[in-house]
Amino acid sequence: MRLLVVLPLFAAFASANLERRAQPGAVQPPPVELRPLTWGDVNFISTTDSHGWLAGHPRVSDFSADFGDFASFVKNMRKKAERMRKDLFVIDSGDLHDGNGLSDSTPLNGQVSDPIFSSMKYDMLTIGNHELYQNSVAESMHKNYAPKWGKRYLTSNVYIKDANTNKTTPIGHQYSVFHGRYGTKVLAYGFLFNFKSNGNMTVVEKVETTIAQPWFQKSLKVKSDVIVVVSHMSLRYGEAVSIVNAIRKVQPTKPLFLFGGHLHIRDFVRYDGRAAGIASGRFMETVGWMSASGIRNNNKNLTITRRYLNANLHTYKTHALAHPKQKFDTGRGKDITKKITKARKALNLTNILGYSPQDYYLSRYPMTDDRSLLKLVANEVLPAVVDPKKGKPGVVIINSGSQRFDVLKGPFTTDDTFVVSPFHNTFIYTTVKASLVKGIMEGLNTAPFQKRADKLYLENLRENKKGGDQKDGKKPGKNYPLTPGYVTKDDMGTDGDDWPHTPIADVDAPTYIASPLPAGVQPDDEVHIVWLSFFTNLIEPLLKKLDPNTNFAIADYRTDINSNTMWANFVTQKWAKQA
Ligand SMILES: *[C@@H]1O[C@H](CO)[C@@H](O)[C@H](O)[C@H]1NC(C)=O
Ligand SMILES: *[C@@H]1O[C@H](CO)[C@@H](O)[C@H](O)[C@H]1NC(C)=O
Ligand SMILES: *[C@@H]1O[C@H](CO)[C@@H](O)[C@H](O)[C@H]1NC(C)=O
Ligand SMILES: *[C@@H]1O[C@H](CO)[C@@H](O)[C@H](O)[C@H]1NC(C)=O
């Protein structure tokens, strides 16, 4: 009798526990009703720009699944593909580092996160620009990462130099040919955009040069069912268009699929009846889905579908499982989840440094709004941390691009210091008349763009985020209000987002921002200007231009603090107590 009463209760608890996969404390989204995915002759799952976010976003229910859950999702999708006897390929477009403590808090970026990433079973991958800034990281990609994938790691235009001879070799493979499990013969390439800020031990060949090379032209004649280009670039402009045109000259009707990245956006491009491309966002928020039918019977127009999935357990289970009771977790998935939890602990990433009193957003609100992260940085963080103590009042200037993410209300951890401000630039200073400060800020904000990404990044982001109305997306059940999130408009319309959302605003901010000059400073007073080493090359000529007669002595301001550690310093000083 007793058992009969207790069992259902126990079962309820057990299943509630099962829902708590992902990282400890991860919040789960409401079970919104989702439209089934359309499978084709050939199917693709894609990720890009993971930037170390293998733990997912435990505090944002839309994206709270971790990389272990993703592995379980992929395994279950592969089982589904097997039942349908259809090929499914899983693809990553690069940028594994810079943006999260898991990848960036180790002596070598990716030392702990890369092995976790490569315990996933990807079919095709390529390299991102963030793997090439530092020679040591690029060398590790070549020595440790590329060999794990063999011919699945595709780098058609990226080479590494031998330290002794300067001889260049491709970091991965320039192209590969292989068969999917159900017979699809794939010819695959991997391209990086024409990136110029790489370390000097690597060479990025211009895409236009690579596609004119005899090896590339010859490879295009290899017989295949489909051509896949895994790329780290915009799908709409320049390099991608050159690649599509070059392939079409030799293979005018071959089914062609591009996977883009770098811009951190959701996007889909239809190049022609038998060619399309998808970009799958950033930071393990989005998992891209693309399918194509009509490949075998030479249809002039393939039927191609696409969907942008929010990376959470509800999404994964809904699309991967045949029925809700089916087992979702896999051995590999659970193992990856455990490894991430352990690594985050070992790296002290979950240490709570303090408590944010509210949400601060990087680009949802203008700098006049109290919810603006850049306003907080300019008015509170910089004055508190880089406080010009050297006997003079001063201003501290940073490039707003050094700040990369929102700060949410509640615990602020060591990981958050990497998430919000991953780069380690030091502070440099000189002494000027207060009257010069205005000219310096104006000069900086009209200088040629100097981002770690190219200028296209922001333009496309805005273009894309303008979005459109959610027309065809299924509305969530009546108990679930629409939440703010991605609203995407692409070449197929506005029904690409798997979860319907209301759009999030994305407002402009100045490229360079400064802490305010203390009150009472007169134009003729001497003040310190302090800035990040990242743009000393812009400050020096500006000073010369504004005051040609003075030789400004430039020096390190403080050596104990940089653009990453300033956050830990601020939070422990000002936010130590829970509000
Ligand atoms: C490799 O290139 C560097 C930079 O151009 C040069 O200084 C060095 O002498 C070269 N080494 C060899 C072995 O050619
Ligand atoms: C790369 O730059 C470093 C530091 O400036 C220099 O020592 C080295 O010789 C350079 N190597 C090559 C191959 O150019
Ligand atoms: C085939 O696709 C092209 C390009 O996407 C489009 O312009 C054309 O209208 C389509 N034709 C048919 C018959 O669907
Ligand atoms: C983590 O914190 C502990 C205790 O403060 C310290 O002993 C350890 O060295 C830290 N580990 C890392 C990787 O920073």
Side-chain angles (χ1 to χ4, degrees), residues 85-369:
R85 306 190 65 77
K86 289 179 186 300
D87 273 320
L88 170 65
F89 299 105
V90 186
I91 290 171
D92 182 72
S93 287
D95 268 10
L96 304 175
H97 318 126
D98 300 338
N100 194 285
L102 193 64
S103 56
D104 307 347
S105 68
T106 46
L108 183 70
N109 277 12
Q111 204 170 314
V112 164
S113 57
D114 285 354
I116 297 175
F117 193 91
S118 45
S119 56
M120 246 296 292
K121 280 199 163 175
Y122 278 99
D123 296 291
M124 288 167 258
L125 312 93
T126 196
I127 200 162
N129 54 303
H130 280 265
E131 278 83 270
L132 300 176
Y133 285 103
Q134 294 174 30
N135 287 334
S136 55
V137 171
E139 274 158 24
S140 173
M141 297 308 287
H142 181 55
K143 270 203 214 108
N144 306 316
Y145 189 73
K148 283 196 181 147
W149 301 108
K151 65 182 196 176
R152 314 248 161 190
Y153 195 53
L154 295 149
T155 58
S156 303
N157 66 330
V158 183
Y159 303 81
I160 193 145
K161 276 189 199 171
D162 183 289
N164 297 318
T165 63
N166 288 348
K167 191 174 167 291
T168 58
T169 40
I171 286 189
H173 284 244
Q174 289 189 295
Y175 75 99
S176 288
V177 183
F178 57 90
H179 282 92
R181 188 151 182 194
Y182 295 99
T184 309
K185 190 174 180 187
V186 180
L187 166 60
Y189 300 92
F191 277 98
L192 175 65
F193 71 92
N194 295 338
F195 176 56
K196 295 196 186 89
S197 307
N198 50 310
N200 63 2
M201 292 306 288
T202 53
V203 175
V204 180
E205 188 174 64
K206 277 188 82 172
V207 166
E208 293 75 14
T209 306
T210 307
I211 59 182
Q213 299 282 357
W215 76 259
F216 181 77
Q217 288 298 322
K218 193 166 164 234
S219 72
L220 283 177
K221 301 201 174 92
V222 172
K223 278 219 166 84
S224 69
D225 297 313
V226 301
I227 297 177
V228 171
V229 178
V230 189
S231 74
H232 190 80
M233 59 177 66
S234 155
L235 291 172
R236 291 189 179 273
Y237 310 95
E239 292 94 322
V241 174
S242 303
I243 293 167
V244 170
N245 289 342
I247 292 172
R248 278 292 174 251
K249 267 195 193 141
V250 181
Q251 296 285 359
T253 60
K254 184 72 66 193
L256 168 60
F257 305 103
L258 271 75
F259 295 84
H262 185 58
L263 300 184
H264 293 186
I265 60 172
R266 295 176 167 190
D267 198 11
F268 174 86
V269 181
R270 191 73 192 245
Y271 300 102
D272 61 38
R274 290 169 71 79
I278 189 170
S280 302
R282 60 167 197 182
F283 302 165
M284 289 311 294
E285 291 172 344
T286 300
V287 171
W289 168 262
M290 179 157 67
S291 75
S293 302
I295 286 174
R296 296 274 154 71
N297 34 4
N298 257 349
N299 289 2
K300 212 165 170 200
N301 279 5
L302 301 177
T303 303
I304 300 181
T305 76
R306 56 84 182 94
R307 193 84 65 81
Y308 312 105
L309 312 181
N310 283 356
N312 61 61
L313 273 169
H314 178 68
T315 299
Y316 288 166
K317 289 181 177 178
T318 302
H319 292 305
L321 301 183
H323 55 84
K325 293 265 161 65
Q326 195 185 325
K327 184 169 164 278
F328 175 76
D329 292 329
T330 62
R332 183 191 302 274
K334 283 196 285 195
D335 184 51
I336 290 176
T337 293
K338 242 186 254 154
K339 276 187 184 146
I340 294 169
T341 309
K342 266 175 89 174
R344 280 165 59 78
K345 223 172 175 177
L347 294 169
N348 289 340
L349 296 177
T350 47
N351 274 1
I352 295 174
L353 301 172
Y355 300 85
S356 171
Q358 62 169 83
D359 294 340
Y360 293 98
Y361 293 98
L362 183 58
S363 60
R364 277 189 204 188
Y365 302 104
M367 270 190 79
T368 49
D369 193 297

Side-chain angles (χ1 to χ4, degrees), residues 430-432 436 439-440 529 531 536-554:
T430 193
T431 310
V432 301
L436 249 60
I440 290 167
I529 55 163
W531 66 89
T536 298
N537 64 326
L538 296 181
I539 294 268
E540 278 182 313
L542 255 177
L543 291 172
K544 279 213 176 74
K545 197 172 135 202
L546 290 169
D547 185 354
N549 300 321
T550 306
N551 251 337
F552 293 97
I554 287 175

